[in-house]
Amino acid sequence: MPRALRGPTVTEIKILLIGSGAFALPAFNAVHADPNFDIVAVVSAAPRAAGRSGEPQSTPVAEWARGEGLDLLETGRLRDAATLETLIQLGAAVGLLADFGQIVPGTLIDALPGGILNLHPSLLPKFRGASPIPATILSGDRETGVCTILMDVGLDTGPLLSVQRYALKGDEQSPALEVRLAELASEEIVATIKRHLKGELDPTPQSPDGVSLTKRLTRADGLVNSVFTADDAYRAWRAYRPWPGVWVNVAPTLERLILDEVGEPRHDVQVEAGHFVLHEGSLMLGLQDGALPLLQVTPTGGRRMGGGELVRGRPELLAPHARISA
C-alpha cells in the first residue's frame, strides 16, 4: 500500500486526475481551483458511440479537461503498457479517481508515492461496484454518503480515509442524488488529499460485515412485473433514471411499455396485480399492495403520451385478459 508523504507543508502537489462521468467534476474543479495542486494530466475513457447518430462522444471529464486547457489522455484500456509508462513518467505524487469505469492496475497505484484516492458514492462496504446510487434507492436506505478510499487492487476494497454521510428523505431520484453526492465529495477532497500526504490520516480498513457488490446496469434490469409491490416499482423508477428506465411487458398487446413518469403509489386503490384500470381519469397499474399511477408512457414504436391517452387509443389494455408479465 502507498505510504503517506510525511514532511513539511506541501506547497505544490503534482496530481493525476482519473475519471469519466459527471460525478467526478465538482471534486476535480475543487482540485483545479486550489493553487497548491499541479494537475499533470487528466485520464478519461476513450470516446464511445452515442445517440442515434452513433457518433463518438467524449466523456464529461474529457470535455472539462479540454475546456480547462489541461493535458488529456483518453484511453479504452488503462492496462496498456505504453499508457501506464506514459502516466508513470509524469511524476505525480498522488492520484484522484472518480467515476472512471475501468480497473486501475496495481502498477499505477504503486508508482504514485501517495497512491490513488477514489471517491465512491456509498457507505462502504455496502454497494461496492458500478451502480451504488441506484442500489441505495432500490434498497430504501435512509442514509448514504461518499467514501474516500485509498485504492488497492480490489474493487472498492481499499481502506477509508474519509466518510461523509448524507440523510435521505425517501423521494430521491438517481440524477439529483448523484449531483448532491458529487457536491458533497468536493467539499472535503482538497483537505483530505493534503492531510493524507502529510501523514495526518490513518487509513481505516473496511468492515468485513455488510459487504455488497453492485453491477453495471442493463436494459433488462428495468423490467417491472406483477410480483413487484407498488413501492418496489416506485423505487425502481426513481433508481433507474435515466438508465435503464423502467418498463413493462403487456401480453398480448405490447412488447414494451416504458413508464416515463409515474406518481407515488396509491395504497387506497385496489387493482388486481398486473392489470390496468382508469381511476379518477388516471391510468393505474395494479401491483402487489397497491397501484402505480402512470402519468407518462411510451409504447413500443410510439411516442410519449399520457396514460389516459394511451388507453383511449388502446382500449384493449383495460380488457380482463390484458396484463403485464408475471
Side-chain angles (χ1 to χ4, degrees), residues 98-122:
D99 200 0
F100 182 50
Q102 296 183 40
I103 297 295
V104 178
T107 305
L108 182 59
I109 297 172
D110 294 340
L112 277 58
I116 299 176
L117 279 61
N118 176 12
L119 294 171
H120 185 81
S122 79

Side-chain angles (χ1 to χ4, degrees), residues 231-269:
D231 289 329
D232 287 341
Y234 185 54
R235 281 195 293 267
W237 177 77
R238 292 189 290 109
Y240 291 152
R241 294 172 64 86
W243 172 262
V246 293
W247 53 283
V248 295
N249 176 280
V250 189
T253 58
L254 282 172
E255 178 183 351
R256 180 176 292 163
L257 180 66
I258 299 172
L259 311 185
D260 297 295
E261 296 285 342
V262 305
E264 293 187 11
R266 292 285 301 270
H267 298 289
D268 60 327
V269 178

Side-chain angles (χ1 to χ4, degrees), residues 94-215:
V94 67
L96 174 63
L97 180 146
D99 200 0
F100 182 50
Q102 296 183 40
I103 297 295
V104 178
T107 305
L108 182 59
I109 297 172
D110 294 340
L112 277 58
I116 299 176
L117 279 61
N118 176 12
L119 294 171
H120 185 81
S122 79
L123 295 177
L124 292 167
K126 196 173 186 181
F127 304 137
R128 293 171 177 167
S131 53
I133 293 175
T136 296
I137 294 175
L138 279 175
S139 70
D141 287 2
R142 301 314 298 264
E143 185 182 46
T144 186
V146 177
C147 289
T148 304
I149 314 166
L150 184 59
M151 290 187 71
D152 59 17
V153 295
L155 182 59
D156 301 325
T157 56
L160 305 178
L161 294 174
S162 171
V163 177
Q164 297 166 269
R165 296 180 177 272
Y166 182 73
L168 298 172
K169 296 183 294 183
D171 60 357
E172 290 81 7
Q173 299 177 24
S174 283
L177 182 55
E178 178 177 323
V179 168
R180 182 63 194 99
L181 293 179
E183 293 170 347
L184 184 68
S186 72
E187 293 171 6
E188 293 187 8
I189 188 57
V190 166
T192 298
I193 296 170
K194 291 179 179 179
R195 293 186 63 201
H196 166 59
L197 295 180
K198 293 177 183 177
E200 296 176 356
L201 299 177
D202 291 322
T204 303
Q206 293 184 35
S207 171
D209 301 322
V211 174
S212 59
L213 182 65
T214 65
K215 64 182 182 66

